[in-house]
Every structure is written in C-alpha cells, then in structure tokens.
Amino acid sequence: MIPLRVTSGCIGCGQCVMQCPTRCLMIRNGKRVYVSSENCSLCGHCFAICPVGAIEIFNMTADQCQVDIKNLQNIDTIIKYRRSIRKYNPEPLQREVLEQLVDFTKYAPSACNFRPLRFLCLSRHCMDEVGAMIAREMSGQFPKLPQQQDQLDIVFRGAPHCIVIYVESNHTHTGMDDAIITMTQLELLAQSKGIGTFWAGMLKTQGNLSAQIKQRINLQEDDMICGCLGIGMPALKYKRSVGRIPYHVDFLE
C-alpha cells in the first residue's frame, strides 16, 4: 500500500488526474479518484493541485502543507512551492524577460570560476521539429512515443520556450556540475516572477546521442548538452506545497 490516500472529501473534479505524470490516478463513477500503486512515484502533484485538499501523502494533510503563495519573494516559500510545470499558456515570453533570467545566472557558483556554460533558447517552431525527431529516434525504446508526442507534446509539455545549456568539448569536466547549479537557481528565480519551468530530460539525453538533433539546434557534434529547461507562463496554479519525509542527518564529532 502506497502512502497516498484519497479521502471522502474528493469532488471528482479530475485536476489531479490531469496532472499525474505517471497516469496512476483515475475517476470512477464520476466522483472518487483511485490510485494505481504500481505506477505512483509519490511526486505529490495530485496533493499540491487538489482544490479541496482531499488527498493525503505520508499521512500529511493539505492543511499541514500550506504556504503563502501570494508571497513568492520569500526564498523558503519559493523552494517549498516549486513544481515541475507540465501545462503552459502558449504565448511566448518577451525576449527581454528570458535574457534577464539567463543573465542573472552569472551570479551562480562555478567550479574554479571557469564559467564555461553556453545558452540557447529554442522557440516553439524549433521545439516542434526537435520533439518529433526525439520521438522518432526513441521509438525503439518507447514505441508509443511518436503518437504521444504528436498528441500531447511529451518532450516539451507545451512550453513556449526551452533553454538549452551546453558546453564546448574542452569544458566537459566541469560543465555538468555548473549547469545543474545554474538550472536550479534559474528555475527558482523564474518562479519568483510567476514563470513555470520543468527539466526537459529527453532533449538532454537524446540530444547528446544524436548528431542530427545537435545539428538542428546549431551545436557542434562534440558539444555536450548539460541541461534543458522548458519555460513559460503556467496554465494552472498549485494550491499548496507537498508533504515530504524529512531527511536523516548523522553528525560526526
């Protein structure tokens, strides 16, 4: 039995079903939501989106995980409230907004202060082409992916932009760590401005294996893609943070 429970307060609105990335939720008899424990990853999206707080996770209720979402200038709130957004308004962000977000990452830590990162911002036209390429190239592993990509945009989740962070071949030894730090800070900064993000792992994974994809996004074959961040204005808002099990810390003297 998984530590996720739908209570009798469920109104069957289906918002949690639509936001479940593993498709483990379903509505029966037009009302209650049921959970398939085999697929649930305990990401907490259903818990965070439920408008009436009818889902419990790790024995925590919605009331225990409230945050002041009107105060997204507070770093504690930003970290607790951060979600991977998978549904976006299609309107693109202004170029100046994207430039300012990327420019702010110059303050992020960098190994040995080499600062080797390079940035690309893909538009929707490019993303449509690249998404189809990824789906075709990964169809041997995921046979349904081309159809799903055509219908649902599995690769980019409908985001109007994707920021690609890469390094040239002579900086691959520090690039990955720098990129992870930068992406984390970039997405928290974006959230403080009401902008949503998610880590587009399919482009990173397949892009590093595919000369054709690199060519389409104007990278050299020996460049290394270190991270990809889908970004845009969210088409929905989560209601609360999500319950998490505390980490255990050992202290040594």
Side-chain angles (χ1 to χ4, degrees), residues 6-58:
V6 182
T7 71
S8 59
C10 173
I11 59 176
C13 67
Q15 289 194 42
C16 60
V17 176
M18 290 185 288
Q19 291 308 305
C20 178
T22 60
R23 301 293 188 268
C24 73
L25 298 175
M26 65 189 76
I27 296 177
R28 289 182 179 172
N29 303 321
K31 191 173 181 182
R32 288 288 304 278
V33 173
Y34 289 82
V35 183
S36 170
S37 59
E38 294 179 359
N39 297 327
C40 182
S41 65
L42 296 173
C43 69
H45 281 310
C46 58
F47 178 92
I49 197 68
C50 179
V52 295
I55 296 177
E56 297 179 359
I57 187 169
F58 302 118

Side-chain angles (χ1 to χ4, degrees), residues 79-234:
I79 292 173
K80 289 179 180 179
Y81 187 61
R82 188 212 68 82
R83 295 276 87 200
S84 293
I85 302 300
R86 294 183 174 88
K87 189 174 179 60
Y88 292 84
N89 290 326
E91 293 79 11
L93 299 173
Q94 294 183 353
R95 178 171 291 190
E96 291 78 9
V97 172
L98 293 164
E99 289 176 338
Q100 289 171 4
L101 288 172
V102 171
D103 181 65
F104 207 86
T105 66
K106 65 191 177 188
Y107 298 108
S110 172
C112 301
N113 205 34
F114 287 149
R115 304 198 174 275
L117 302 183
R118 301 290 182 266
F119 296 83
L120 290 172
C121 187
L122 309 184
S123 68
R124 200 54 248 189
H125 174 71
C126 179
M127 292 160 71
D128 287 340
E129 292 186 10
V130 172
M133 294 171 67
I134 292 172
R136 287 195 302 270
E137 293 183 8
M138 297 184 74
S139 61
Q141 184 179 2
F142 305 105
K144 295 182 180 179
L145 185 57
Q147 180 181 0
Q148 292 173 333
Q149 176 60 21
D150 185 57
Q151 296 175 347
L152 302 173
D153 187 19
I154 297 296
V155 176
F156 294 114
R157 303 290 180 176
H161 311 278
C162 183
I163 296 174
V164 178
I165 303 177
Y166 70 99
V167 293
E168 297 170 347
S169 59
N170 57 327
H171 285 295
T172 56
H173 60 296
T174 62
M176 195 63 70
D177 289 342
D178 275 18
I180 291 172
I181 295 169
T182 294
M183 288 176 65
T184 300
Q185 294 201 359
L186 197 158
E187 69 168 350
L188 293 177
L189 177 63
Q191 180 166 281
S192 75
K193 300 178 182 299
I195 299 170
T197 59
F198 80 101
W199 292 44
M202 283 186 171
L203 175 53
K204 174 187 171 183
T205 299
Q206 193 61 29
N208 279 320
L209 298 174
S210 172
Q212 288 75 25
I213 292 175
K214 284 187 177 180
Q215 183 179 30
R216 176 60 185 87
I217 61 176
N218 295 332
L219 296 187
Q220 300 298 314
E221 191 168 352
D222 55 357
D223 290 340
M224 182 175 71
I225 299 173
C226 299
C228 306
L229 202 68
I231 187 167
M233 295 303 298

